[in-house]
Amino acid sequence: MASLVESGWQYLVTHCNDFQLACIGSFLLHESVFFLSGLPFIFLERRGFLSKYKIQTKNNTPAAQGKCITRLLLYHFCVNLPLMMASYPVFTAMGIRSSFPLPSWKEVSAQILFYFIIEDFVFYWGHRILHSKWLYKNVHSVHHEYATPFGLTSEYAHPAEILFLGFATIVGPALTGPHLITLWLWMVLRVLETVEAHCGYHFPWSLSNFLPLYGGIFGTDKGYKRLKSLKENSDLKQT
């Protein structure tokens, strides 16, 4: 496995420069993981598959889903991509490298664990601020346009909120200056986490059921879990 990763990375660093890897490569990786993990939930919702795991009974219309995808593509290519390209000096200042040797799995694991904790802390307090009266009305309300969320709505937000989300994700790596492969792995996990959190389904195999830091550590979902438990107990009593 290690030799396969090293061979793949050798190909990338041979054919791409640092700017292409850090900016264009990161953008393409994000887009691939985001849409490949988020689009299946639109299919599930339209077909009604696995409906017993759906949190809400209401479905979004195809028009609403199409609006979300169109807006996301606009934001990603007109906001995210230019921002990532302009941020290359920041990447270099952070000490992010793409050269060999690759980091050990112990180093990668420790750094990503640290990133989850830092990101959750920053996101929690930032999210609370976004729910203040003025910011909610003028910024955060865009994210709540979809009362019945699906995977892709995780990044459906006002451009100002998109910038905040990017800051919350990058602040951990900014403190450690990781290898680019570590940053990419962190990006993949973070995208999968937020898509799952907004997917509208709660599966028994969801990673949030098994990993304590996955999906947030500040317990903001305790109310939902308590309500869900009460509903399940009520259903059992009725049977």
Side-chain angles (χ1 to χ4, degrees), residues 22-72:
C23 300
I24 308 301
S26 296
F27 177 77
L28 293 176
L29 178 65
H30 171 274
E31 296 303 288
S32 300
V33 175
F34 177 69
F35 283 103
L36 288 175
S37 63
L39 285 172
F41 291 105
I42 291 181
F43 175 78
L44 291 178
E45 186 175 288
R46 290 187 181 183
R47 290 293 185 177
F49 295 153
L50 301 177
S51 57
K52 68 177 181 178
Y53 299 117
K54 201 170 187 303
I55 298 173
Q56 296 170 288
T57 56
K58 183 181 177 181
N59 291 330
N60 292 284
T61 64
Q65 294 169 338
K67 174 190 172 184
C68 176
I69 294 173
T70 302
R71 186 79 64 88
L72 283 170

Side-chain angles (χ1 to χ4, degrees), residues 192-204:
L192 293 177
E193 178 194 28
T194 191
V195 167
E196 180 190 321
H198 292 80
C199 72
Y201 292 81
H202 187 77
F203 302 113

Side-chain angles (χ1 to χ4, degrees), residues 175-222:
L175 295 173
T176 65
H179 193 281
L180 183 60
I181 200 170
T182 306
L183 182 67
W184 280 6
L185 181 57
W186 160 238
M187 183 188 303
V188 169
L189 293 174
R190 183 67 188 92
V191 169
L192 293 177
E193 178 194 28
T194 191
V195 167
E196 180 190 321
H198 292 80
C199 72
Y201 292 81
H202 187 77
F203 302 113
W205 56 84
S206 297
L207 288 177
S208 56
N209 292 329
F210 307 102
L211 302 178
L213 298 181
Y214 196 83
I217 61 174
F218 273 83
T220 51
D221 61 346
K222 285 182 178 179

Side-chain angles (χ1 to χ4, degrees), residues 68-115:
C68 176
I69 294 173
T70 302
R71 186 79 64 88
L72 283 170
L73 290 172
L74 179 66
Y75 284 169
H76 286 186
F77 281 92
C78 296
V79 178
N80 291 10
L81 180 58
L83 181 64
M84 293 183 78
M85 295 176 68
S87 298
Y88 180 66
V90 178
F91 284 131
T92 56
M94 287 164 51
I96 293 178
R97 62 182 180 85
S98 60
S99 58
F100 282 93
L102 297 180
S104 67
W105 283 108
K106 288 184 179 179
E107 178 183 340
V108 171
S109 301
Q111 288 183 337
I112 288 181
L113 176 62
F114 175 69
Y115 300 160

